[in-house]
Amino acid sequence: MAIVVQKYGGSSVGTIEKIKNVAQTVVRRKQAGDDVIVVVSAMGDTTDDLIGLANEVTSNPDKRELDALLSTGEMMSSALLAMAIKASDYDAISYTAYQIGIKTTGQHGKSLIDDIDGENIKKSLSEGKIVIVAGFQGINEEGHITTLGRGGSDTTAVAIAVKLDGICEIYTDVDGIYSVDPRKYKDAKKLDEIDYEEMLELSSLGAQVMHSRSIELGQKYNIPIYVGLSNSDIKGTVIKGVNNMNMESKPVTGLATSDDDVAITIRDIESDINTVSSLFESVASKRINIDMISQTAPVNNRVNLSFTIPKVDLSECLEIIKPFYLEENQIAIDQDITKFSVVGIGMKTTSGVASKMFKLLSQNDIGVKMITTSEIRITCAIKQKDKVKAINVIASEFNL
Amino acid sequence: MAIVVQKYGGSSVGTIEKIKNVAQTVVRRKQAGDDVIVVVSAMGDTTDDLIGLANEVTSNPDKRELDALLSTGEMMSSALLAMAIKASDYDAISYTAYQIGIKTTGQHGKSLIDDIDGENIKKSLSEGKIVIVAGFQGINEEGHITTLGRGGSDTTAVAIAVKLDGICEIYTDVDGIYSVDPRKYKDAKKLDEIDYEEMLELSSLGAQVMHSRSIELGQKYNIPIYVGLSNSDIKGTVIKGVNNMNMESKPVTGLATSDDDVAITIRDIESDINTVSSLFESVASKRINIDMISQTAPVNNRVNLSFTIPKVDLSECLEIIKPFYLEENQIAIDQDITKFSVVGIGMKTTSGVASKMFKLLSQNDIGVKMITTSEIRITCAIKQKDKVKAINVIASEFNL
């Protein structure tokens, strides 16, 4: 008998009919002898509808109150699922974040789970109950309701699995993790398994299957995470540590692209580590995520500095960096970039991936504007018109 | 500077536009120098919509889970109102029941407020914040979310006013308490003030303006309760103790009727106090509310016993009383009754109200099936066809 933590996303509980189906699936798992904890998202578009209400009130809703509002979506779906299970004569109980002590830190709207007081869950399991938990929410030190950000229910599920040493299963509307987004590359292959690091890189690159924080938690506590369809014979993907893997020799596991960023270049600023670091600190202090950075070699003690940020943060960022240059023409903004990344834990041990990739891009007349690399990923900024060609060339070469 | 607790009902916060209006009203009160606490109901038909969802899941939803579901309605409206106030640059904070320790006892769906830990409210008021409280909900000893029953937000408001020694104002879609329901008697007079006892009797008789428990609380702690329209020059009604009143000489303050009951008669049962009390105990133990009771004088040690119960409880009640008689023909059920009641604290000191009333009914050919009285009310069961005539005759005679 194992403790199983299952997470069902918003589309899996989008209607009462679907909630009843989930109830049946969950009951069958309980009948098979496992202790079952179910983490649910809000029904269908509930979260968007609630955000819509808030935006009717004001264009800039207070973040504490927005969290209080949004948290109700998961409370509704968890209560309804518990009802559905009890109606089929299995015992169940729904819990909100404060009832099981999901303690969070950090900002409203993107809080981090700090700890979970698992006692109420354990007690209910020991009484034979199926436990339903409202995902996405927590309570911070001040007793305020917080939310974990889009997809945060994944993190709720993994955190509970960590706390109770359980198995974690994320049920979603895709049948697993693909090496490339199948909407972008029709021959994309589904992966049986993927390393936490690889998955993190892919998530941060816009593969929106999983909440990044859930993967970090899984990695930290070495909890494998199954991702796939519920009620299906199609096998999904297990996210786990590379040490537990049947490693294939592939150096590249996945490929991801994103059109959501913009490149800012500041010309002729002082080549002074304090200036540059203070600029990045100012930007980071507003929680604007700087990704690719490149700097030219100094000429007369002046450099050109380029970096990418999410498009949505552009105007705020331009305000922040104003003190760092004198004239408007020192600034150039490039909206025509696609971030193109390949990811693979195998790169740590396989050399030549970068050179092979650049050679292929060059042979296909694809210009590279910026490059950044980590131990397991290579990212270049290319023109948006080259995206499809680049995907086809690279995915086919690396058998993705 | 006073502490003011205002309650806004579902129709007052039925749309975002209305929520913004309430925000403005509340801010004006704060600007006038008062500390303001606002208790809100769920928006418009939200509670009914949530009950609808639950009934889609199952015809008999689990009561704990139903409470967990229904409580979300008030969480939504309270967060939205707090947002609206903050958007107009006044500080505000919304609280759920658990955040301010609204502790309840008793059954799910009709819990009683036991105590409120007012500390968070006081702290927020001292910080200059307008405090918004989700009405209708509480947390019981086991940490489960409970609800207080239809209209329970009234009770939340009065309980907070009691705890903080504040003024209590209930804003609703009627402009006050009437001596007779104006839909039933067009000349009905609005009351400037009414005694707690009178209001309780009227509430229990189907005058659905206020949650009964809120009046009991007001009476127990002697907190006057204002009931009326918000944002209006029309003066509402104050519910308060008779000792604080400009008593008029009227013996009868109000009149109420209800068609929601059914009379059950058991013929020829043993005239034995143990039998009768055990019958009523069995019925009461299922929380079925027995109202009018009459018993004939014993003949050969056997009596006829009649009592009324809510129509909705009829089939359950018939099951419960089966052990108390032998043959089906001992039971008679009368669905054609209207409970017709007059209420007035003045009856305590004015004699002859009952005889005057019965004489009037008799003169107008209105037959009386059963009669019960308390110190301040007289109730008779009459035929439903006689209801309108009885209202007109009695209301006009007692100047209601």
Side-chain angles (χ1 to χ4, degrees):
Chain A
M1 194 174 87
I3 293 179
V4 179
V5 184
Q6 301 190 325
K7 178 256 176 176
Y8 291 88
S11 57
S12 306
V13 292
T15 64
I16 297 295
E17 214 45 55
K18 286 183 172 183
I19 287 177
K20 288 181 180 177
N21 290 340
V22 169
Q24 283 173 16
T25 308
V26 168
V27 163
R28 278 198 295 274
R29 188 63 171 259
K30 174 75 182 165
Q31 285 171 330
D34 289 321
D35 276 341
V36 186
I37 300 156
V38 185
V39 176
V40 283
S41 298
M43 291 175 75
D45 298 327
T46 304
T47 304
D48 287 332
D49 294 345
L50 292 172
I51 291 172
L53 281 179
N55 287 334
E56 269 188 71
V57 172
T58 166
S59 56
N60 186 22
D62 180 75
K63 288 186 165 51
R64 179 199 183 272
E65 300 302 336
L66 187 60
D67 273 2
L69 178 69
L70 295 186
S71 70
T72 62
E74 281 72 15
M75 293 183 192
M76 286 171 51
S77 53
S78 57
L80 288 165
L81 179 58
M83 270 177 214
I85 294 171
K86 293 203 84 166
S88 59
D89 281 338
Y90 266 77
D91 206 2
I93 188 163
S94 74
Y95 283 124
T96 64
Y98 86 88
Q99 290 175 314
I100 51 169
I102 300 183
K103 288 160 202 144
T104 58
T105 56
Q107 294 192 317
H108 280 290
K110 41 185 166 182
S111 287
L112 307 174
I113 294 181
D114 198 38
D115 195 11
I116 295 176
D117 168 9
E119 290 313 309
N120 274 343
I121 299 180
K122 283 183 199 162
K123 182 166 169 287
S124 294
L125 290 178
S126 74
E127 293 165 353
K129 293 186 169 102
I130 296 169
V131 172
I132 318 296
V133 174
F136 178 61
Q137 62 183 259
I139 305 292
N140 69 13
E141 278 184 339
E142 297 166 274
H144 300 326
I145 299 169
T146 63
T147 65
L148 311 177
R150 278 278 160 175
S153 296
D154 296 340
T155 298
T156 308
V158 175
I160 293 172
V162 166
K163 189 72 187 185
L164 302 184
D165 202 17
I167 293 164
C168 186
E169 301 170 347
I170 307 290
Y171 293 111
T172 174
D173 48 5
V174 296
D175 59 1
I177 313 290
Y178 281 75
S179 53
V180 190
D181 185 338
R183 287 165 303 184
K184 295 178 180 168
Y185 181 61
K186 66 176 173 41
D187 295 330
K189 291 179 185 62
K190 192 169 65 195
L191 304 165
D192 290 337
E193 47 192 23
I194 184 169
D195 177 71
Y196 298 115
E197 290 277 357
E198 293 173 328
M199 189 65 216
L200 273 173
E201 291 282 7
L202 287 175
S203 293
S204 72
L205 296 169
Q208 293 298 350
V209 180
M210 293 277 294
H211 195 231
S212 297
R213 174 76 176 159
S214 67
I215 305 158
E216 289 170 7
L217 271 183
Q219 179 176 33
K220 184 169 174 192
Y221 296 97
N222 203 26
I223 297 277
I225 305 167
Y226 176 88
V227 180
L229 299 171
S230 96
N231 264 332
S232 167
D233 292 333
I234 302 170
K235 211 176 127 197
T237 303
V238 181
I239 309 169
K240 58 186 180 178
V242 68
N243 296 335
N244 302 323
M245 257 185 217
N246 309 315
M247 272 298 287
E248 298 166 47
S249 57
K250 282 168 80 170
V252 174
T253 311
L255 180 163
T257 64
S258 161
D259 302 336
D260 298 335
D261 293 68
V262 56
I264 299 176
T265 300
I266 316 179
R267 295 195 195 90
D268 289 329
I269 61 168
E270 205 175 343
S271 170
D272 167 4
I273 187 67
N274 289 330
T275 308
V276 173
S277 69
S278 137
L279 185 151
F280 287 142
E281 267 169 31
S282 304
V283 176
S285 74
K286 297 293 179 180
R287 300 243 157 196
I288 297 174
N289 206 5
I290 296 173
D291 186 14
M292 308 181 75
I293 299 173
S294 73
Q295 187 188 302
T296 55
V299 176
N300 299 327
N301 203 32
R302 322 258 342 148
V303 296
N304 293 350
L305 182 68
S306 300
F307 55 91
T308 64
I309 56 160
K311 278 183 180 159
V312 289
D313 295 325
L314 179 59
S315 58
E316 192 181 3
C317 185
L318 290 176
E319 279 302 311
I320 297 165
I321 63 175
K322 269 191 179 152
F324 294 92
Y325 59 91
L326 296 170
E327 291 170 31
E328 275 305 318
N329 64 12
Q330 284 179 263
I331 287 285
I333 294 160
D334 185 355
Q335 302 253 18
D336 176 23
I337 63 166
T338 286
K339 278 194 333 195
F340 182 92
S341 309
V342 295
V343 170
I345 204 94
M347 283 190 215
K348 283 186 182 175
T349 51
T350 312
S351 58
V353 173
S355 60
K356 193 172 181 181
M357 174 168 157
F358 296 137
K359 192 173 156 200
L360 281 164
L361 293 177
S362 155
Q363 283 171 347
N364 288 278
D365 294 323
I366 299 169
V368 172
K369 298 180 179 191
M370 293 172 77
I371 299 169
T372 51
T373 59
S374 77
E375 253 196 325
I376 67 161
R377 100 160 139 129
I378 303 163
T379 300
C380 5
I382 59 175
K383 286 186 178 170
Q384 288 177 6
K385 74 167 173 57
D386 292 332
K387 180 171 68 173
V388 174
K389 186 160 68 171
I391 290 172
N392 283 300
V393 166
I394 303 295
S396 129
E397 174 66 25
F398 288 102
N399 194 28
L400 299 178
Chain B
M1 191 175 89
I3 293 179
V4 179
V5 185
Q6 301 189 325
K7 179 257 179 175
Y8 291 89
S11 57
S12 306
V13 293
T15 64
I16 296 294
E17 216 44 55
K18 288 183 172 184
I19 287 176
K20 287 181 179 176
N21 290 341
V22 169
Q24 283 173 17
T25 309
V26 168
V27 163
R28 278 198 295 273
R29 187 66 171 258
K30 173 77 183 165
Q31 285 170 331
D34 291 320
D35 276 341
V36 186
I37 301 156
V38 185
V39 176
V40 283
S41 299
M43 292 174 73
D45 298 327
T46 304
T47 303
D48 286 332
D49 293 346
L50 292 172
I51 291 172
L53 281 179
N55 287 334
E56 268 188 73
V57 171
T58 165
S59 57
N60 186 23
D62 180 74
K63 288 186 165 51
R64 178 197 184 274
E65 300 302 336
L66 187 61
D67 273 1
L69 179 70
L70 296 185
S71 69
T72 63
E74 281 73 15
M75 294 184 192
M76 287 171 51
S77 53
S78 57
L80 288 165
L81 179 58
M83 270 178 214
I85 294 171
K86 294 204 82 166
S88 58
D89 281 337
Y90 266 77
D91 206 3
I93 188 164
S94 74
Y95 283 124
T96 64
Y98 87 88
Q99 289 175 315
I100 51 169
I102 300 182
K103 288 159 202 145
T104 58
T105 55
Q107 293 193 320
H108 279 290
K110 42 185 163 179
S111 287
L112 307 175
I113 295 182
D114 198 37
D115 196 10
I116 295 176
D117 168 8
E119 289 313 311
N120 275 342
I121 298 180
K122 284 183 200 162
K123 182 167 171 286
S124 294
L125 290 178
S126 74
E127 293 164 354
K129 294 187 168 98
I130 296 169
V131 172
I132 319 296
V133 174
F136 178 61
Q137 61 184 261
I139 304 293
N140 70 12
E141 278 186 338
E142 298 166 274
H144 301 325
I145 299 168
T146 63
T147 65
L148 310 178
R150 278 280 159 174
S153 296
D154 295 339
T155 297
T156 307
V158 175
I160 292 172
V162 166
K163 189 73 189 184
L164 301 185
D165 203 17
I167 293 164
C168 187
E169 300 170 349
I170 306 290
Y171 292 111
T172 173
D173 49 5
V174 296
D175 59 3
I177 312 289
Y178 281 76
S179 53
V180 190
D181 184 338
R183 288 167 304 186
K184 294 179 181 167
Y185 181 61
K186 69 178 171 42
D187 295 330
K189 292 180 182 61
K190 193 170 62 193
L191 304 165
D192 290 335
E193 45 191 23
I194 184 170
D195 176 72
Y196 297 116
E197 289 277 357
E198 292 172 329
M199 190 67 216
L200 273 172
E201 291 281 6
L202 287 175
S203 292
S204 71
L205 296 170
Q208 293 297 349
V209 179
M210 294 276 296
H211 195 229
S212 297
R213 173 75 176 160
S214 68
I215 305 158
E216 290 170 6
L217 270 183
Q219 179 176 33
K220 184 168 173 191
Y221 296 96
N222 203 25
I223 297 277
I225 306 167
Y226 176 88
V227 181
L229 299 172
S230 99
N231 264 330
S232 167
D233 293 332
I234 302 171
K235 210 178 128 199
T237 304
V238 181
I239 309 169
K240 58 187 182 180
V242 69
N243 296 335
N244 301 322
M245 260 185 213
N246 309 315
M247 271 299 287
E248 299 166 47
S249 57
K250 280 168 81 171
V252 174
T253 311
L255 179 163
T257 62
S258 161
D259 302 334
D260 298 335
D261 295 65
V262 55
I264 298 176
T265 300
I266 317 179
R267 295 194 195 91
D268 289 328
I269 60 170
E270 207 176 342
S271 169
D272 167 3
I273 187 67
N274 288 330
T275 306
V276 173
S277 70
S278 136
L279 185 151
F280 287 142
E281 267 170 31
S282 303
V283 176
S285 73
K286 296 295 178 182
R287 299 244 156 195
I288 296 174
N289 206 5
I290 295 173
D291 186 14
M292 309 182 72
I293 299 174
S294 73
Q295 186 187 303
T296 55
V299 175
N300 298 329
N301 203 32
R302 321 247 358 138
V303 295
N304 292 352
L305 182 67
S306 298
F307 54 92
T308 64
I309 56 161
K311 277 183 181 159
V312 291
D313 295 325
L314 179 60
S315 58
E316 194 182 3
C317 184
L318 290 176
E319 279 302 311
I320 297 165
I321 63 176
K322 267 191 181 153
F324 293 92
Y325 60 90
L326 296 169
E327 289 170 33
E328 276 303 320
N329 64 14
Q330 283 178 264
I331 287 285
I333 295 160
D334 185 355
Q335 303 253 17
D336 177 23
I337 63 167
T338 286
K339 277 193 336 196
F340 182 93
S341 309
V342 294
V343 170
I345 204 93
M347 283 190 216
K348 284 185 182 176
T349 50
T350 312
S351 57
V353 174
S355 62
K356 191 171 183 183
M357 174 168 157
F358 295 136
K359 191 173 158 198
L360 281 164
L361 293 178
S362 154
Q363 283 170 346
N364 286 278
D365 293 324
I366 299 169
V368 173
K369 298 180 179 189
M370 293 170 78
I371 298 170
T372 50
T373 60
S374 78
E375 253 194 327
I376 69 160
R377 101 161 139 128
I378 304 163
T379 301
C380 7
I382 59 175
K383 285 186 179 172
Q384 288 177 5
K385 74 167 173 58
D386 292 332
K387 180 171 67 173
V388 175
K389 186 160 65 172
I391 290 172
N392 283 301
V393 167
I394 302 295
S396 132
E397 174 66 25
F398 289 101
N399 195 27
L400 299 180

